[in-house]
């Protein structure tokens, strides 16, 4: 399965990679050398940001990192690589030019799917969807957003979790409404047949029962035993 949205931002000595079996939903963690505060895996590779906002990309050997020029506070790897810096400026990486292109707007969190759909949240908690040359504001409020094959999911400042109706399958749509999902999280991540989140105690949970469009919000949360991370 695609796991780009299942690799969560971390503040630990080493970067961690989450491996998920879509059949049995078995989760295991593999330690990767390095120290990052944010890491994201997608079709553009594994990218990360350290505490100094330096940007790194994981090499093909899966063990070493190459520093990429620039500085970002948060990064997302999908069809393209997007990120935001400490001034809330938004950037997209241009691989052919090996440089960053600044895009209009200001966000504190941005997420891009492997299908190239981009959603973000600004400092005021407003939610936005990228239309290719401008941002469409989506009703509602959040502190963080994730877009992937299980649709668009957000968490707000109260830790409430919401799914955007109509977005399952990484559909190119703004969706129609927000549905609250039971539980409380500070970070959520949308993957294929699975959604992973972290609560205020830094416990990791994944959402079971997400199968096709019949049950896009799943059935219940399952705690990943013995694993904790601290998020930014």
């Amino acid at each position: 399965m695609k796991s780009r949205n299942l690799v969560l931002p971390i503040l630990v000595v080493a970067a961690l990679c989450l491996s998920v079996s879509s059949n049995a939903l078995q989760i295991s963690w593999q330690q990767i050398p390095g120290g990052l505060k944010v890491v994201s895996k997608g079709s553009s590779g594994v990218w990360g940001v350290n505490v100094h906002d330096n940007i790194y990309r994981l090499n093909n050997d899966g063990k070493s990192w190459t520093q990429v020029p620039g500085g970002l506070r948060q990064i997302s790897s999908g069809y393209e690589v997007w990120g935001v810096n400490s001034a809330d400026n938004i950037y997209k990486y241009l691989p052919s030019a090996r440089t960053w292109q600044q895009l209009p707007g200001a966000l504190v969190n941005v997420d891009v799917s492997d299908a190239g759909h981009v959603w973000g949240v600004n400092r005021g908690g407003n939610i936005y969807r990228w239309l290719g040359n401008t941002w469409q504001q989506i009703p509602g409020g959040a502190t963080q957003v994730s877009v992937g094959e299980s649709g668009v999911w957000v968490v707000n400042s109260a830790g409430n979790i919401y799914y955007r109706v109509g977005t399952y399958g990484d559909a190119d749509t703004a969706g129609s409404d927000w549905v609250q999902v039971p539980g409380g999280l500070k970070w959520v991540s949308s993957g294929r047949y699975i959604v992973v989140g972290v609560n205020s105690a830094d416990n990791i949970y994944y959402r079971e029962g997400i199968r096709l469009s019949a049950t896009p919000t799943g059935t219940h949360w399952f705690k990943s035993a013995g694993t904790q991370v601290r998020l930014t």
Side-chain angles (χ1 to χ4, degrees):
M1 67 168 289
K2 293 303 299 178
S3 59
R4 52 101 20 220
N5 287 307
L6 303 183
V7 183
L8 302 176
I10 50 180
L11 269 176
V12 294
V13 175
L16 298 177
C17 180
L18 177 60
S19 170
V20 180
S21 164
S22 60
N23 294 325
L25 289 179
Q26 296 175 343
I27 295 180
S28 63
W29 292 92
Q30 176 186 358
Q31 184 169 332
I32 299 173
L36 299 171
K37 66 175 181 178
V38 176
V39 62
S40 179
K41 179 185 177 184
S43 56
S44 293
V46 180
W47 292 66
V49 175
N50 68 9
V51 293
H52 304 294
D53 291 350
N54 297 318
I55 307 164
Y56 293 88
R57 181 175 183 175
L58 187 66
N59 296 323
N60 291 333
D61 61 11
K63 299 178 182 179
S64 60
W65 299 86
T66 295
Q67 187 171 352
V68 177
L72 295 173
R73 179 181 57 202
Q74 184 253 327
I75 197 166
S76 178
S77 170
Y79 179 76
E80 298 169 315
V81 178
W82 288 54
V84 295
N85 67 9
S86 58
D88 300 351
N89 297 318
I90 309 163
Y91 292 91
K92 178 177 72 173
Y93 189 66
L94 304 177
S96 58
R98 297 185 179 182
T99 188
W100 295 92
Q101 174 189 2
Q102 186 173 352
L103 297 168
L107 299 173
V108 295
N109 168 245
V110 66
D111 198 53
V112 54
S113 74
D114 281 334
H117 303 137
V118 182
W119 288 61
V121 175
N122 72 4
R123 193 166 292 277
N126 299 310
I127 306 166
Y128 293 90
R129 170 179 172 246
W130 180 245
L131 298 181
N133 55 17
T134 189
W135 293 96
Q136 173 190 11
Q137 185 170 352
I138 305 297
T143 55
Q144 182 257 331
V145 61
S146 179
V147 53
E149 293 191 56
S150 288
V152 175
W153 291 64
V154 301
V155 293
N156 65 15
S157 58
N160 298 320
I161 312 158
Y162 293 89
Y163 161 77
R164 188 70 176 172
V165 176
T167 60
Y168 182 87
D170 201 2
D172 185 15
T173 177
S176 59
D177 199 4
W178 294 104
V179 172
Q180 186 169 355
V181 178
L185 298 173
K186 64 179 180 180
W187 194 275
V188 69
S189 191
S190 171
R192 188 179 184 189
Y193 305 130
I194 192 172
V195 170
V196 173
V198 176
N199 69 6
S200 59
D202 295 336
N203 297 312
I204 299 178
Y205 291 84
Y206 67 83
R207 188 74 175 169
E208 287 193 330
I210 297 176
R211 290 294 184 273
L212 305 178
S213 59
T215 55
T217 59
T219 56
H220 63 282
W221 293 101
F222 181 86
K223 184 179 179 182
S224 179
T227 305
Q228 293 185 341
V229 296
R230 179 168 171 248
L231 304 186
T232 55

